[in-house]
């Protein structure tokens, strides 16, 4: 089979089935992943996915195919899909083709292919450093890694996007490098709100946003993550800056691949997922890496279908992450926000050699206390708290106070909750947990520890009530 790399206008559409388009070329076919253009003003973009024979290729449309018909000419661009790079992309918003969608003039940029190999093992850095978020539960029990990958796992409506938005609010301002937000198959409204919030916070100058929304074809949703990573790699490798890459939602990337696989007629694997899911996810995730020149730190939300953590999409994503933050519907129903399950969540940074002996010992003590409380809940439900031993009642009291102390009011939900957001340092969070474990707050009502920042706020909340009681 003759593979042609030079651009030409010798192609013609021979079949259109939704987003799948077959094109015939004279004198050789373009390589896999080549971008083709068709339509009256070349507005329809096609990506070559397979060679059918010596003259025909099968393509996936990255744009809607309305108006495309058999016999229409197809232009071979001679290159794969490309993303804009350069200082000009900062503070801007783009689609998968690198076109500005923020109603401003097109920026001055250069272009690079979105298909790039991950950095070689010899170029990677092995330095381990904690990345603070200002959220107590995460910093104490599942610290994030600078240059690592963290996943926020949860079903529908448990607060994944809210938690990601709060992390953006807390970290983008103090993050010295560049922040890139990649929206894969999520709501247009969330992107527009994020743009306004970042502009109001004054951090848009060091931020880039790339969107492939849920109303776009699966081809666009499947490639928008690669486009965002190409921009991140430019800042890491060319300008030697650290990059914070925020992805919402990585499950939509897998879902787009599943739709493409089905349209191409591939035999599905378990639960309808594409047989190439592991490879496709690895090609994306392995490009997120730490090198000696800079680091890409990634925080990704992962939708879990029907709250089933054995779903292949969740299982495959778990294997790529350095920290897994699991959100629980049960904790959300109890009003414990952020609704993170501390016993299911984990981080490979939570070791004495990285976070220190005191932090590690405290985190283990907190997990142990919460696990004991979880085991005692059935007994409490059947027999009541009074039937427990004195030691067990103390464990329950500590665990309930820890659960409430590890809640936190968010800046991004101030208008809904009426509570002012709190940013809590790791030192204050550890100090509060240690004092609760030492029974220093055994005389303080549980509700005083709910939705506060540092632990001393609990004393200030109970002081007016104590003074009123003394006066009466």
């Amino acid at each position: 089979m003759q593979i042609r790399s030079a651009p030409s206008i010798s192609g013609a559409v021979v079949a259109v089935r939704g987003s799948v388009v077959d094109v015939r070329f004279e004198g050789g076919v373009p390589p896999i992943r080549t971008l083709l253009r068709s339509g009256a003003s070349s507005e329809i973009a096609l990506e070559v996915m397979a060679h059918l024979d010596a003259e025909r290729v099968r393509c996936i449309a990255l744009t809607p195919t309305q108006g495309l018909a058999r016999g229409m000419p197809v232009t071979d661009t001679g290159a794969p899909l490309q993303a804009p790079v350069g200082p000009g992309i900062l503070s801007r918003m783009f689609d998968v083709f690198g076109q500005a969608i923020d109603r401003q003039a097109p920026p001055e940029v250069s272009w690079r292919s979105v298909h790039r190999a991950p950095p070689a093992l010899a170029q990677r850095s092995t330095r381990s450093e904690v990345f603070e978020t200002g959220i107590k539960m995460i910093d104490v029990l599942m610290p994030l890694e600078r240059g690592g990958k963290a996943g926020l796992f949860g079903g529908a409506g448990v607060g994944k996007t809210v938690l990601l938005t709060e992390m953006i609010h807390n970290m983008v301002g103090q993050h010295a490098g560049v922040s890139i937000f990649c929206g894969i198959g999520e709501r247009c409204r969330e992107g527009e709100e994020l743009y306004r919030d970042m502009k109001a916070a004054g951090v848009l100058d060091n931020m880039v946003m790339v969107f492939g929304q849920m109303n776009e074809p699966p081809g666009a949703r499947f490639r928008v993550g690669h486009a965002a990573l190409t921009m991140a790699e430019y800042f890491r490798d060319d300008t030697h800056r650290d990059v914070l890459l925020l992805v919402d939602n990585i499950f939509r990337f897998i879902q787009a691949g599943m739709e493409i696989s089905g349209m191409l007629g591939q035999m599905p694997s378990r639960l309808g997922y594409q047989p190439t899911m592991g490879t496709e996810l690895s090609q994306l995730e392995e490009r997120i890496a730490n090198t000696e020149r800079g680091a890409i730190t990634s925080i990704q939300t992962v939708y879990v279908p029907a709250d089933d953590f054995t779903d292949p999409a969740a299982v495959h994503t778990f294997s790529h992450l350095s920290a897994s933050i699991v959100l629980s519907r049960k904790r959300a129903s109890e009003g414990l926000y952020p609704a993170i399950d501390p016993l299911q969540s984990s981080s490979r940074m939570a070791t004495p050699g990285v976070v220190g002996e005191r932090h590690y010992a405290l985190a283990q003590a907190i997990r142990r206390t919460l696990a004991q409380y979880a085991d005692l809940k059935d007994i409490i439900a059947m027999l009541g708290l009074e039937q427990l031993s004195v030691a067990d009642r103390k464990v329950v009291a500590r665990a309930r106070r820890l659960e409430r102390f590890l809640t936190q009011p968010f800046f991004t939900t101030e208008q809904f909750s009426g509570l002012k957001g709190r940013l809590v340092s790791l030192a204050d969070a550890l100090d509060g947990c240690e004092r609760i474990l030492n029974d220093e707050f055994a005389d303080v009502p549980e509700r005083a520890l709910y939705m506060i920042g540092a632990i001393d706020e609990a004393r200030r909340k109970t002081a007016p009530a104590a003074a009123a009681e003394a006066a009466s």
Side-chain angles (χ1 to χ4, degrees):
M1 183 184 297
Q2 184 183 350
I3 305 292
R4 189 193 60 248
S5 58
S8 70
I9 313 178
S10 60
V13 175
V14 292
V16 182
R17 293 180 298 280
S19 289
V20 179
V21 181
D22 290 353
V23 182
R24 183 189 298 278
F25 284 91
E26 301 291 338
V29 291
I32 300 287
R33 292 178 172 172
T34 300
L35 188 68
L36 312 179
R37 291 278 182 180
S38 188
S41 54
S42 299
E43 74 280 7
I44 297 172
L46 311 170
E47 184 176 354
V48 178
M49 298 297 286
H51 293 153
L52 299 180
D53 54 37
E55 292 186 337
R56 291 182 306 145
V57 295
R58 180 154 289 167
C59 309
I60 284 290
L62 306 185
T63 55
T65 54
Q66 283 90 341
L68 197 64
R70 290 176 63 185
M72 288 183 71
V74 175
T75 305
D76 174 5
T77 64
L81 180 67
Q82 298 192 317
V85 296
I89 67 173
L90 288 171
S91 79
R92 303 300 302 271
M93 189 188 284
F94 298 95
D95 64 9
V96 69
F97 301 104
Q99 298 166 344
I101 54 173
D102 51 9
R103 299 182 181 174
Q104 297 181 39
E108 289 187 16
V109 295
S110 52
W111 297 83
R112 284 186 186 170
S113 166
V114 301
H115 304 289
R116 298 169 64 83
L121 286 175
Q123 298 174 353
R124 301 199 179 207
S125 169
T126 55
R127 188 176 65 249
S128 291
E129 189 180 343
V130 172
F131 196 72
E132 278 194 42
T133 65
I135 298 169
K136 289 183 282 192
M137 177 83 87
I138 294 173
D139 289 343
V140 171
L141 293 176
M142 58 229 58
L144 306 190
E145 179 185 8
R146 186 177 297 278
K149 287 169 275 201
L152 310 178
F153 291 82
V158 293
K160 296 184 300 297
T161 301
V162 171
L163 185 55
L164 182 70
T165 312
E166 183 71 7
M167 286 185 174
I168 293 169
H169 181 281
N170 292 357
M171 293 189 291
V172 166
Q174 57 176 311
H175 180 63
V178 177
S179 302
I180 297 179
F181 181 87
C182 177
I184 307 177
E186 289 296 305
R187 302 168 188 84
C188 305
R189 168 184 58 78
E190 290 170 351
E192 192 270 338
E193 286 175 358
L194 180 66
Y195 182 82
R196 275 193 287 110
D197 291 346
M198 295 302 105
K199 194 168 186 178
V203 295
L204 200 60
D205 289 347
N206 281 317
M207 197 164 185
V208 186
M209 299 186 192
V210 194
F211 290 97
Q213 295 303 309
M214 57 169 60
N215 60 322
E216 296 187 39
R221 286 181 270 126
F222 190 62
R223 290 302 181 208
V224 71
H226 297 93
L229 261 171
T230 303
M231 298 176 185
E233 287 166 343
Y234 162 78
F235 288 111
R236 180 192 67 192
D237 299 337
D238 292 41
T239 65
H240 300 179
R241 296 174 74 178
D242 283 357
V243 182
L244 179 61
L245 177 65
L246 306 135
V247 184
D248 188 14
N249 186 306
I250 209 74
F251 173 79
R252 304 296 175 198
F253 166 78
I254 295 171
Q255 192 177 44
M258 179 169 60
E259 292 174 43
I260 289 171
S261 176
M263 289 188 296
L264 292 174
Q266 294 176 350
M267 184 68 71
S269 64
R270 194 161 68 90
L271 298 183
Y273 286 102
Q274 65 271 38
T276 54
M277 176 175 64
T279 306
E280 291 166 359
L281 188 61
S282 297
Q283 286 171 345
L284 185 78
E285 295 281 6
E286 287 305 303
R287 289 171 63 180
I288 303 169
N290 236 350
T291 69
E292 297 300 336
R293 290 173 288 189
I296 300 177
T297 303
S298 175
I299 300 171
Q300 312 164 7
T301 62
V302 187
Y303 168 68
V304 181
D307 292 341
D308 178 14
F309 287 91
T310 63
D311 188 90
V315 170
H316 277 269
T317 310
F318 268 123
S319 63
H320 291 281
L321 305 174
S322 56
S324 301
I325 299 166
V326 177
L327 285 93
S328 156
R329 194 172 302 280
K330 187 172 183 298
R331 289 180 68 84
S333 68
E334 294 170 0
L336 300 171
Y337 292 102
I340 298 168
D341 187 330
L343 301 178
Q344 284 197 61
S345 305
S346 63
S347 169
R348 74 175 185 206
M349 300 298 285
T351 60
V354 177
V355 297
E357 291 288 350
R358 175 177 176 253
H359 184 164
Y360 176 75
L362 269 174
Q364 291 299 97
I366 293 164
R367 286 181 189 276
R368 191 161 51 248
T369 305
L370 295 175
Q372 286 176 275
Y373 176 43
D375 290 340
L376 292 168
K377 276 183 178 176
D378 288 341
I379 298 172
I380 295 168
M382 288 187 291
L383 304 176
L385 191 62
E386 296 76 18
Q387 299 303 314
L388 296 179
S389 66
V390 175
D392 282 347
R393 268 183 291 197
K394 282 188 175 181
V395 166
V396 170
R398 286 183 207 124
R400 289 181 62 85
R401 281 167 173 76
L402 279 170
E403 281 186 338
R404 278 143 188 80
F405 175 64
L406 290 172
T407 62
Q408 190 167 337
F410 283 174
F411 292 96
T412 50
T413 57
E414 279 180 7
Q415 70 265 40
F416 308 115
S417 64
L419 299 170
K420 188 168 173 23
R422 299 284 195 280
L423 184 73
V424 184
S425 69
L426 176 60
D428 285 346
L430 290 172
D431 179 56
C433 292
E434 189 172 40
R435 290 166 72 182
I436 290 170
L437 288 169
N438 291 335
D439 290 333
E440 193 176 318
F441 286 81
D443 59 330
V444 173
E446 292 172 6
R447 64 179 181 275
L449 295 161
Y450 180 67
M451 285 293 173
I452 61 171
I455 192 76
D456 292 326
E457 286 184 38
R459 294 286 187 200
R460 291 198 291 272
K461 280 174 80 172
T462 53
E469 194 175 312
S472 63

